[in-house]
Amino acid sequence: MILKSYIKSLFSSRTIWFWSVGFIIFWLFLGVFVFPQDINKSSFDIINYASLWYSLTSILSVAAIGVSISFSIYYSSSSLAYLFHNSKLSSYRYYLESSVATGLFFTGTGTVLMMFMALLFYIRFHVIVYPHIFWLALILFFSSGLFFYSLSAALVVIFNNWLGLKNINFVAFIPLFLGYGFGYSALYGSLPHWLLYSNFVSPYEYLYMMSFTGRVPFSNILNHASTHASILLCSVSVLIWMVIFIFAALLLIKSIKASYVEEARQI
């Protein structure tokens, strides 16, 4: 019941559609029509360039969804605290069904963005671009949606319960800030290798690129003279971080405290 209702609320929310699709389409237009002025017009280079924007916009899109999720959890904290203690609704069931719903939602919106990107690249370069390992792309859509849901839930409950959530606007945007920071760092290789593999954004970006091109990407994505990224390390890093945040979200949501929405104020 929760799963069906949560999916319906996600797909009917204009705010979430704006953040996950509308906001990202702006970056796609820039990536297709503004930035690639000096790109080689060969299909190989165009596909490589498209994979850059595919991976980056996928990360930014799912991170942007975390913004809406954060607001949703905060504004429903009082209801959730009451229901967990005075009804048959358990925190585990709520987390499981709402996180699965988020994963399914991003699988849908990620596919929409992928098709929209393919259309833009065809209009601009007359080359058809698409993920060569489509099943891996779908797995990444679902798992990254689940991951950023858990991250957003954990952050909001920590601030709400113990640190004082005086400015929900700042806390809600933390996943998006992390997406931008680590996402662009993987492109330019500005971080040490150990940090590129140990953060929870860059490994997803490498895996997204591999699902698109069917080839192992370079550790410095824009520098083809660099070494290839380790897909094994990326996969292990993603799994470890996902387990950490899933368990953290499960424990934290169970202890969520009621908050008064009127206390939230902008600084």
Side-chain angles (χ1 to χ4, degrees):
M1 190 65 178
I2 296 176
L3 178 62
K4 181 179 179 180
S5 300
Y6 208 91
I7 290 177
K8 183 178 179 180
S9 66
L10 288 173
F11 277 96
S12 61
S13 173
R14 295 180 181 178
T15 301
I16 297 181
W17 274 100
F18 168 79
W19 281 112
S20 62
V21 177
F23 174 69
I24 303 302
I25 286 177
F26 166 75
W27 289 104
L28 283 178
F29 269 107
L30 292 180
V32 176
F33 294 103
V34 178
F35 296 147
Q37 299 301 324
D38 301 322
I39 187 174
N40 191 318
K41 297 302 176 65
S42 69
S43 59
F44 179 82
D45 289 335
I46 291 172
I47 290 174
N48 281 334
Y49 179 76
S51 71
L52 296 178
W53 281 95
Y54 167 78
S55 60
L56 182 60
T57 53
S58 294
I59 292 295
L60 296 182
S61 178
V62 70
I65 291 177
V67 176
S68 297
I69 292 172
S70 299
F71 279 106
S72 174
I73 295 175
Y74 172 69
Y75 287 125
S76 61
S77 59
S78 296
S79 300
L80 291 176
Y82 176 83
L83 290 172
F84 292 159
H85 290 89
N86 299 283
S87 74
K88 294 181 179 180
L89 177 64
S90 67
S91 58
Y92 301 107
R93 180 188 170 193
Y94 170 80
Y95 168 79
L96 176 62
E97 297 194 26
S98 56
S99 59
V100 169
T102 304
L104 292 173
F105 174 74
F106 186 64
T107 301
T109 57
T111 303
V112 169
L113 283 174
M114 181 175 60
M115 296 171 63
F116 195 86
M117 188 189 77
L119 175 62
L120 292 180
F121 269 88
Y122 183 77
I123 293 173
R124 175 70 170 81
F125 298 106
H126 304 291
V127 173
I128 299 176
V129 296
Y130 61 91
H132 282 66
I133 311 178
F134 188 69
W135 61 267
L136 179 57
L138 294 179
I139 291 175
L140 291 172
F141 285 149
F142 182 84
S143 64
S144 56
L146 175 63
F147 175 83
F148 273 91
Y149 175 89
S150 302
L151 171 62
S152 302
L155 287 173
V156 169
V157 177
I158 288 173
F159 275 81
N160 179 68
N161 286 9
W162 298 287
L163 301 181
L165 196 55
K166 299 300 183 182
N167 191 347
I168 178 62
N169 293 320
F170 169 73
V171 179
F173 278 86
I174 289 178
L176 190 58
F177 295 153
L178 294 173
Y180 271 98
F182 288 121
Y184 279 102
S185 294
L187 292 181
Y188 299 102
S190 56
L191 295 176
H193 275 200
W194 66 269
L195 186 54
L196 282 172
Y197 290 120
S198 62
N199 76 77
F200 45 78
V201 175
S202 303
Y204 259 120
E205 198 164 8
Y206 291 134
L207 292 172
Y208 268 118
M209 286 196 67
M210 182 177 175
S211 73
F212 192 90
T213 62
R215 301 184 300 273
V216 178
F218 293 94
S219 56
N220 183 335
I221 294 176
L222 294 180
N223 181 9
H224 290 184
S226 62
T227 59
H228 286 89
S230 172
I231 297 303
L232 176 61
L233 289 178
C234 290
S235 301
V236 171
S237 177
V238 165
L239 289 174
I240 290 175
W241 279 114
M242 182 168 290
V243 170
I244 289 174
F245 280 109
I246 285 176
F247 276 98
L250 277 170
L251 295 174
L252 289 167
I253 288 179
K254 183 178 181 180
S255 63
I256 193 169
K257 296 179 181 178
S259 61
Y260 297 98
V261 174
E262 61 270 17
E263 289 183 357
R265 64 178 184 273
Q266 294 188 14
I267 298 176

